[in-house]
């Protein structure tokens, strides 16, 4: 089977005065469709940089990033906008909900994101039938159907994170990216969020890529990629991943 996602010799560098800093260097990796992937590494390792490149939120300084065979590293801004709108859902550590919109409105916004993309992108054909999902159904799926009309400031951290997961899932994305999704939550709430992400990857067959510095999350992944100082140190395959409710931290 061909990999769904492939990084080939990817680098991301910043010119800082006289000196060049490599946030990522010589990164090769593979992810198969439907996998739940955990990217582990200490602070500053390059995890968010890697996730942002994968999500088309940033472009590499060199190398290739293949998504279903398309090299998104060569895409211009319009190309990346279409790529994100059709393929990528993102969940952030601090939820990034719009404070003046209710839970329902935050999720419903995804329809506009897709509709604003120019017609005729390659993804339209490739992702034919990938409809934006109903906001109420998505909020129900994350256990929030009684909270549709609450604003973010009126919800707990766990509820806000579940809203942001519903928002990401509403795009029906082939790729769900999560940057420290439990980082701002207590252990019990964090476990519920992990369980939800695991369920999404298993039942909806979305490919889920989560970055974290929490090594206990390695046990629930199908694939564990360890990064340090901007390079991939190892990749492991878990034949028998644990249930999210079995891990604690
Ligand atoms: N725009 C930028 N200019 C210069 N350096 C940057 C820039 N963005 C990121 N970096 C550097 O790249 C390195 C990797 O950053 P990144 O945010 O990917 O780390 P991380 O693994 O996500 O860390 P954390 O666990 O703390 O979130 C850091 O040393 C950071 O300072
Ligand atoms: Mg980070």
């Amino acid at each position: 089977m061909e990999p769904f996602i492939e990084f080939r010799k990817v680098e991301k560098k910043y010119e800082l005065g006289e000196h060049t800093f490599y946030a990522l260097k010589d990164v090769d990796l593979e992810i198969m469709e439907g996998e739940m992937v955990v990217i582990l590494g200490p602070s500053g390792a390059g995890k968010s940089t890697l996730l942002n490149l994968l999500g088309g939120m940033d472009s590499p300084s060199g190398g290739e990033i293949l998504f279903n065979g398309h090299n998104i590293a060569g895409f211009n801004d319009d190309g990346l906008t279409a790529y994100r709108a059709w393929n990528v859902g993102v969940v952030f550590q601090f939820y990034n909900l719009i404070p003046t919109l209710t839970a329902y409105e935050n999720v419903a916004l995804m329809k506009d994101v897709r509709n604003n993309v120019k017609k005729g992108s390659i993804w339209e054909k490739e992702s034919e039938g990938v409809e934006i999902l109903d906001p109420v159904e998505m909020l129900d799926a994350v256990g929030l159907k009684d909270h549709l009309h609450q604003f973010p400031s009126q919800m707990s951290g766990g509820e806000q994170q579940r809203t942001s997961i519903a928002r990401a899932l509403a795009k029906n994305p082939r790729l769900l990216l999560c940057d420290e999704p439990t980082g701002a939550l207590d252990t019990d709430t964090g476990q519920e969020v992990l369980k939800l992400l695991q369920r999404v990857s298993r039942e909806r067959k979305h490919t889920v890529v989560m970055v974290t510095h929490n090594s206990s999350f390695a046990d629930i992944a199908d694939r564990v990629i360890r990064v340090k100082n901007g390079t991939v140190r190892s990749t492991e395959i878990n034949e028998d991943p644990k249930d999210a409710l079995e891990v604690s931290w």
Side-chain angles (χ1 to χ4, degrees), residues 4-6 15 30 33 38 43-44 59-60 63 76 79 93 95 106 113 139-141 167 204 222 235 247:
F4 180 45
I5 290 159
E6 209 177 334
E15 304 297 341
E30 287 183 1
E33 187 148 33
V38 165
S43 182
S59 294
N76 61 15
Q93 178 173 0
Y95 334 128
N106 265 283
V113 168
L139 283 158
D140 188 19
R167 176 180 61 183
R204 295 183 175 268
D222 299 308
T235 298
V247 300

Side-chain angles (χ1 to χ4, degrees), residues 174-211:
R174 296 169 84 184
L175 182 58
L176 179 65
L177 302 178
C178 312
D179 196 344
E180 296 280 6
T182 66
L185 304 172
D186 63 58
T187 306
D188 287 352
T189 316
Q191 258 179 350
E192 274 174 37
V193 164
L194 275 192
K195 178 77 202 151
L196 178 61
L197 293 172
Q198 195 174 46
R199 208 182 77 207
V200 162
S201 100
R202 288 182 182 168
E203 290 174 9
R204 295 183 175 268
K205 313 248 184 283
H206 293 312
T207 306
V208 177
V209 181
M210 172 163 64
V211 308

